[in-house]
């Protein structure tokens, strides 16, 4: 936080807009660069959570799958806090549709 | 830059020094044509044989900014169709004879250009000139693809605004897939006071996001509009205005000279600038 941000907060003013511009740009560019629209990303997020939760119990509230971009390289970053391992993970080669989700 | 051979009729070998540079931005109105005109004049004044090619033949304006609008007789199209020689189509600038303008086409023409046409024209120019600057149309459609086909390197122009930076990012992605190298950035219409107040993306915000080397910083400057009114680029008469100096410096850097880039928010010595810097300080 810069001094300017701090003063703005004290006075209840709108924060300077450059930071907002930067954040909005970073988000929109991550999507532009990966050619993924938010809908597809959401679908991918659901499927990733589905697969992972066949093996471990994850905290869906805290879980986060998002695109991050740095130096023109876009990465898919998943942060999925694990509550505990599943007592009965599906055996190797099992029909994935049979797994409990 | 080695020699390239174009065309089928004969062997056109480029001048060993030739650099053909695309000037593009994606978004319209950020200053591509102004940069092309000023950079072309500045390079010519520095002794380089320079051609500027207006690839935007539908909405051409480079002639207007250079004050050459009344002297265009032929265009690249007549050269390609064989109805005139290249020398006849080139419009030489009277005050700065090292600079010539070639319009790609006539606004009344329909789509006729192909990437191969542009390659041929650029190849012909490369034989005679040290620098060929191609003023790219806005957008990322055919006009952009044609112009990009003829270039080996590029300058991307943007302003510190979200829409311009986003479009620049798209264009950079397309240039990289075409293996155009190097791609350098010119940040235009910088307002130091807004930057100091953190109401405008900072220079490092833009260079970090686009991840390109910065070739130049041009401050917002009323003189730019005045010079376009007259049809005399700022670099023509060695203007000491901020934008004029910035364009001259872009030319010098392009030619390999080391010219330091100053942070616009750190230049001022007045109270306002000092206060701006204080406000920028990270406190936690």
């Amino acid at each position: 936080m810069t001094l300017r941000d701090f003063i703005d907060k004290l006075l209840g003013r709108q924060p300077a807009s450059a930071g907002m511009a930067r954040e909005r740009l970073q988000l929109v560019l991550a999507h532009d660069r990966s050619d993924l629209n938010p809908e597809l990303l959401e679908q991918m997020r659901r499927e990733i959570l589905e697969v992972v939760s066949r093996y471990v119990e994850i905290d869906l509230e805290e879980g986060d799958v998002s695109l991050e971009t740095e130096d023109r390289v876009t990465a898919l970053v998943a942060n999925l806090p694990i509550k505990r391992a599943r007592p009965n993970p599906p055996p190797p080669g099992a029909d994935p549709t049979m797994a409990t989700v | 830059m080695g020699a390239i051979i174009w065309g089928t009729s004969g062997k056109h070998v480029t001048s060993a020094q030739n650099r053909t540079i695309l000037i593009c931005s994606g978004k319209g109105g950020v200053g591509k044509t102004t940069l092309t005109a000023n950079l072309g004049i500045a390079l010519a004044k520095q002794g380089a044989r320079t051609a500027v090619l207006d690839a935007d033949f539908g909405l051409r304006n480079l002639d207007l900014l250079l004050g050459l609008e009344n002297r265009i007789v032929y265009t690249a199209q007549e050269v390609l169709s064989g109805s005139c020689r290249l020398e006849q189509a080139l419009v030489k600038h009277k005050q700065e004879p090292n600079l010539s303008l070639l319009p790609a086409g006539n606004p009344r023409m329909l789509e006729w250009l192909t990437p191969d046409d542009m390659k041929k024209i650029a190849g012909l120019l490369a034989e005679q000139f040290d620098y060929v600057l191609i003023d790219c149309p806005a957008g990322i459609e055919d006009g952009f693809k044609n112009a990009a086909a003829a270039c080996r390197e590029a300058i991307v122009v943007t302003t510190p605004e979200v829409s311009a930076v986003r479009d620049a990012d798209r264009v950079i992605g397309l240039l990289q897939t075409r293996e155009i190298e190097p791609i350098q950035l010119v940040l235009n219409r910088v307002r130091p006071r807004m930057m100091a107040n953190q109401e405008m993306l900072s220079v490092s915000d833009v260079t970090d996001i686009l991840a390109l080397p910065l070739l130049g910083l041009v401050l917002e400057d009323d003189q730019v509009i005045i010079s376009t009114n007259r049809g005399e680029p700022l670099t023509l008469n060695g203007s000491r205005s901020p934008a004029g100096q910035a364009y001259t410096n872009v030319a010098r850097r392009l030619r390999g000279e080391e010219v330091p880039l100053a942070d616009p928010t750190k230049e001022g010595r007045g109270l306002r600038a000092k206060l701006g810097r204080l406000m920028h300080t990270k406190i936690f």
Side-chain angles (χ1 to χ4, degrees), chain B residues 136-157:
Chain B
C136 184
I140 49 173
E141 294 81 28
D142 287 350
F144 167 79
K145 287 174 191 159
N146 287 340
C151 294
R152 309 258 210 98
E153 57 181 298
I155 297 174
V156 174
V157 190

Side-chain angles (χ1 to χ4, degrees), chain A residues 45 49 58-66 77-81:
Chain A
R45 196 183 70 88
L49 290 178
I58 48 181
D59 190 340
L60 289 176
E61 296 294 300
E62 297 290 311
D64 177 37
V65 178
S66 62
V77 178
N79 182 8
L80 308 171

